Each structure stands twice: as C-alpha cells, then as structure tokens.
C-alpha cells in the first residue's frame, strides 16, 4: 500500500506525493486527475526511455484520449531552451491543447525541462512528475521549480509551476548506478541537516540499510525527507525568504559543478558545498568543532566526497558571485546554527568563502606535505 503526502500551495491542497514500490498505481492516480479524457505526453530522456519508457507508456495506452512519448538526448548539456522548443514543436504536431498534460519521467533535468515546457506552452498546461533518480525524488520533483540552463549558468531561466502529482516508484532507486544513487543521497542528508536533527540521526542509524537500498527503509527515508521539503516549500513557495535554506551547500556546490565542467554529479558538489558551509558555521562559532567534523565525516560512509582536487579557489569564489542565489549583489549563504537548523546569512565575506573553499580543496602539495 503506497503512502502519500499532500503539499499545500498558498495554504490550499495542491498536489499529492505518492510513495509507491512500483508503477502499478500510476494510472489510478492519473485517473483521479481526470486523465481519461486528456492527451498525455511522456517526456523522457534517451537513457530513462530505454529502461522505463515503454512500461509507462503501456500503462497509459487505451486509458486516456491518447498517450505519446517525446524522447530527448540525455545529459545536462540538453537542459536548454532548444530542447524546450523541440517539445513545443512536438506538442503542436500532436495537437496538444490546454487541457492536455505532460508527464516528466526521469531525473532532475527531465523534470525541470518538462515543468518549464508545461509552464509556458499555451501559457501553462498541467504536468506530473515521475522522478526516477534519488536526486529528483528527494529534491527537484517537489516544489514547482522548473527551468533550463542558459549560457552555462544553471537554472538561469525558469518559472515556478506546481505539478499536479508527484509519483515516486521507490523501486527504481535499486536500479540506479551506485555513484548516482549516493549523489542523490546528499540532498536527503541536507534535509536532515537544515531542518530535522532527529531525521539526521535516523539516517546515520540506518546507514547500512540505506547503503543496501532496503525498500522499506528507503520508503521511510523518502517520506521523512520529502516532509522536510514539503514544510519548507509550503511556507515559502516562491522563495521570498525561508525556502532559500534548501540551497544549503549549493552556493559553493554550484560553483564547483561549473568549474569542473559538470564532471561531478550535482549531489557530489552539494556534499562538498555542505562541508564548506559547515566549516564556515564552525568558524562563525555556530557549530562546535566536533559538530563540524561529524557533519563532514558523515558524508564518507555514503561514498560522497569531502574534498576536491583540480580547482582554483579564486575561480570558485568568482563563480559563487555569478550564482543566481544573490540578493542586491550579496550572496545568500546558508549556514547551520546547529544540526537541524539552517540560517540565511548575507554577510559572508570573500575571505570566509575562500577559507571554506580551501578547507575542501585537496591540492597536490597536500600529498607531499
Ligand atoms: N532545490 C531547492 C528548492 O527546491 O528550492
């Protein structure tokens, strides 16, 4: 039996997050949204299409007005306006109108692109998130942030557009390649660190089962992780204030992601950024030294990096300033007041950022010291 959470938007029920262990209940959920009379377009990338494309299309065929599939080449490099344009062309060709719907089947790139196409096609049509990576299930499928990268800047163009449903088949997590699975786990850890110390302790206590991907433990983990995200986005859906705590680890993380030319996974960069932010929190005497080392070292058993080589700390500092998470020219940096409680700080200096980057920077010289 699946579990569900309802997410509010402006204090009204808006969409359900379904935690299932297969795709079997997907049609039932879509039927509740009146999909029997609508055309549905699955948007997916070439990799996910090979694994789940036909299975999900088969679940819809014959039940809705028409079910079609649009497949784009996988990879962050395709998270562009050009891909969105191709989706518009496909939808126009298939005669999609305002009452029809898009289904984003895939990871964060697919969810963000599909959501943005849904936000803008005919000034907005409905869409559903069917996230198939841990990163997308834990973070990007919830909260209605949609968009594309532009001129090398991540998520520079986008819109807030709430999905009508988020359907998570947790069993897909067991098929993910190890590195991708653990990269997504960084966002789960983030939720504990910023808002729920008891959940953070639970993650550590259940480390073995999480690493083994025990389905029942994964379900509990995702319900608790998504509850944190739900509570934050309900309070501040369009990121006027508190929602920015979800960017913990992202200011330096995004800069590393860009400096490394997207060779590291987003979640790996978030782990590095989280270590840097925890270090700054210690230097600001918000966290104790023991807490800082605990936060840092707890990424290790989950195969996440806590140091990085081949970067130029000065370049990382420069890139943090081009991140869009700025306000009146100041970086909105997220620090930890304690484990389970994040705060936003706009007074972090260049020297502090450089010190934090140097803390996670592993240089050749370190090996010879
Ligand atoms: N990924 C951060 C947010 O949804 O606000």
């Amino acid at each position: 039996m699946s579990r569900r959470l309802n997410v509010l938007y402006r204090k009204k029920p808006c969409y359900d997050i379904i935690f299932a262990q297969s795709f079997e209940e997907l049609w039932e959920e879509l039927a509740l949204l009146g999909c029997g009379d609508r055309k549905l377009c699955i948007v997916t990338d070439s990799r996910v299409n090979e694994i789940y494309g036909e299975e999900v299309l088969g679940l819809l065929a014959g039940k809705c007005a028409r079910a079609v599939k649009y497949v784009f080449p996988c990879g962050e490099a395709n998270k562009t306006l050009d891909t969105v344009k191709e989706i518009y062309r496909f939808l126009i060709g298939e005669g999609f109108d305002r009452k029809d719907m898009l289904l984003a089947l895939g990871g964060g790139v697919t969810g963000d692109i599909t959501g943005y196409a849904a936000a803008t096609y005919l000034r907005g049509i409905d869409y559903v998130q069917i996230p198939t990576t841990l990163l997308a299930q834990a973070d990007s499928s919830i909260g209605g942030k949609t968009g594309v990268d532009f001129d090398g800047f991540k998520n520079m163009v986008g819109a807030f557009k709430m999905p009508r449903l988020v359907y998570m088949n947790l069993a897909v997590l067991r098929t993910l390649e190890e590195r991708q699975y653990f990269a997504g786990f960084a966002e789960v850890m983030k939720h504990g660190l910023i808002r729920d110390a008891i959940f953070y302790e639970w993650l550590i206590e259940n480390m073995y089962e999480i690493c083994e991907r025990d389905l029942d433990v994964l379900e509990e983990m995702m319900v608790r992780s998504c509850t944190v995200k739900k509570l934050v986005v309900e309070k501040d859906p369009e990121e006027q204030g508190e929602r920015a705590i979800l960017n913990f680890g992202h200011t330096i993380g995004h800069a590393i992601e860009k400096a490394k030319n997207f060779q590291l996974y987003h979640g790996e960069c978030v782990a590095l950024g989280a270590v840097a932010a925890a270090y700054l929190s210690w230097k600001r005497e918000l966290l104790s030294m023991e807490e800082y080392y605990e936060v840092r070292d707890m990424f290790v058993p989950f195969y996440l990096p806590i140091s990085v080589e081949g970067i130029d700390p000065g370049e990382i500092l420069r890139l943090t300033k081009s991140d869009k998470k700025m306000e009146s020219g100041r970086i909105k940096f997220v620090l930890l007041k304690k484990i389970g409680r994040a705060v936003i700080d706009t007074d972090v200096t260049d020297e502090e950022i450089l010190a934090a980057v140097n803390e996670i920077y592993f240089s050749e010289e370190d090996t010879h010291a």
Side-chain angles (χ1 to χ4, degrees):
M1 185 62 190
S2 61
R3 286 163 76 178
R4 83 177 55 221
L5 281 177
N6 182 263
V7 183
L8 307 179
Y9 178 65
R10 301 193 184 283
K11 301 207 168 101
K12 294 205 181 79
C14 186
Y15 56 96
D16 280 346
I17 306 172
I18 310 296
F19 303 90
Q21 297 197 1
S22 72
F23 287 119
E24 268 168 36
E25 294 158 70
L26 177 62
W27 175 254
E28 239 168 80
E29 295 298 330
L30 292 174
L32 292 174
L33 300 175
C35 287
D37 298 331
R38 308 168 90 165
K39 288 197 278 294
L40 304 179
C41 176
I42 298 170
V43 179
T44 192
D45 72 25
S46 46
R47 193 180 309 137
V48 174
N49 180 46
E50 270 180 30
I51 316 171
Y52 303 115
E54 287 307 306
E55 180 185 350
V56 175
L57 189 64
L59 291 169
L60 313 177
K63 298 196 174 106
C64 53
R66 188 144 55 95
V68 291
K69 188 164 56 135
Y70 179 80
V71 183
F72 65 94
C74 67
E76 180 83 26
N78 297 304
K79 190 174 157 182
T80 60
L81 289 172
D82 285 335
T83 304
V84 176
K85 270 203 251 174
E86 291 304 318
I87 296 173
Y88 296 151
R89 287 194 183 108
F90 182 79
L91 296 177
I92 293 166
E94 294 289 338
F96 269 56
D97 65 32
R98 276 239 176 94
K99 68 171 189 359
D100 298 326
M101 193 190 258
L102 305 186
L103 309 182
L105 174 68
V109 169
T110 302
D112 285 8
I113 293 183
T114 309
Y116 188 62
T120 47
Y121 182 71
L122 296 175
R123 298 200 182 91
I125 63 171
D126 286 346
Y127 78 109
V128 163
Q129 293 274 17
I130 311 173
T132 59
T133 62
L134 181 51
L135 181 102
Q137 293 193 350
D139 184 41
S140 57
S141 65
I142 305 162
K145 275 190 181 177
T146 74
V148 293
D149 302 336
F150 189 78
D151 277 357
F153 293 102
K154 259 185 90 81
N155 303 329
M156 195 44 97
V157 174
F160 286 100
K161 167 84 177 166
M162 301 303 146
R164 292 296 314 282
L165 171 75
V166 181
Y167 185 97
M168 295 185 192
N169 170 5
L170 301 169
V172 304
L173 300 179
R174 292 177 63 84
T175 67
L176 293 178
E177 174 248 307
E178 196 148 279
R179 191 173 153 209
Q180 191 184 41
Y181 170 71
F182 287 111
F185 182 76
E187 299 280 3
V188 175
M189 198 79 142
K190 177 193 84 178
H191 287 152
L193 286 169
I194 62 170
R195 191 64 193 259
D196 189 344
I198 295 172
F199 176 48
Y200 178 73
E201 290 304 323
W202 181 92
L203 290 172
I204 294 167
E205 278 158 24
N206 288 276
M207 185 187 293
Y208 176 78
E209 290 79 2
I210 292 168
C211 291
E212 290 297 305
R213 304 190 219 180
D214 175 291
L215 255 187
D216 292 328
V217 169
L218 286 184
E219 184 173 305
E220 182 65 20
M221 175 178 96
M222 294 313 293
V223 171
R224 292 173 80 156
S225 176
C226 291
T227 300
V228 171
K229 176 120 195 201
K230 160 192 151 73
L231 293 173
V232 175
V233 300
E234 280 179 345
K235 253 181 122 180
D236 178 21
E238 272 102 30
E239 201 169 307
Q240 300 299 306
E242 189 188 332
R243 181 166 177 168
I245 65 169
L246 294 170
N247 299 329
F248 176 69
H250 283 63
T251 304
I252 289 178
H254 271 166
I256 294 172
E257 203 173 350
K258 182 146 197 272
K260 294 293 254 179
N261 215 5
F262 299 97
Q263 281 163 11
L264 294 179
Y265 278 106
H266 174 71
E268 292 171 337
C269 297
V270 169
L272 289 163
V275 173
Y279 172 81
L280 257 180
S281 308
W282 165 36
K283 291 293 150 184
R284 286 277 186 103
E285 298 182 1
L286 298 168
L287 291 186
S288 66
M289 185 176 75
E290 291 73 25
E291 283 172 319
Y292 162 59
Y293 283 115
E294 182 194 317
V295 170
R296 188 191 71 169
D297 294 344
M298 271 310 144
F299 286 108
V300 178
F302 296 102
Y303 304 95
L304 286 161
I306 57 172
S307 65
V308 59
E309 56 187 352
I311 54 164
D312 167 5
E315 188 199 2
I316 299 297
L317 172 65
R318 189 175 54 72
L319 288 170
T320 60
K321 292 174 191 265
S322 58
D323 194 81
K324 68 186 182 318
K325 296 165 185 29
M326 305 259 297
E327 200 167 78
S328 311
R330 304 180 92 99
I331 294 174
K332 280 193 278 174
F333 212 98
V334 186
L335 299 175
L336 292 180
K337 202 163 172 183
K338 56 182 187 177
I339 292 178
R341 178 89 190 275
V343 285
I344 298 163
D345 190 298
T346 51
D347 293 324
V348 173
T349 63
D350 287 2
E351 291 69 33
E352 286 179 301
I353 294 177
L354 264 181
V357 175
N358 276 313
E359 173 71 7
I360 54 169
Y361 174 42
F362 177 80
S363 73
E364 284 282 305
E365 283 160 27
D366 295 335
T367 13
H368 303 306

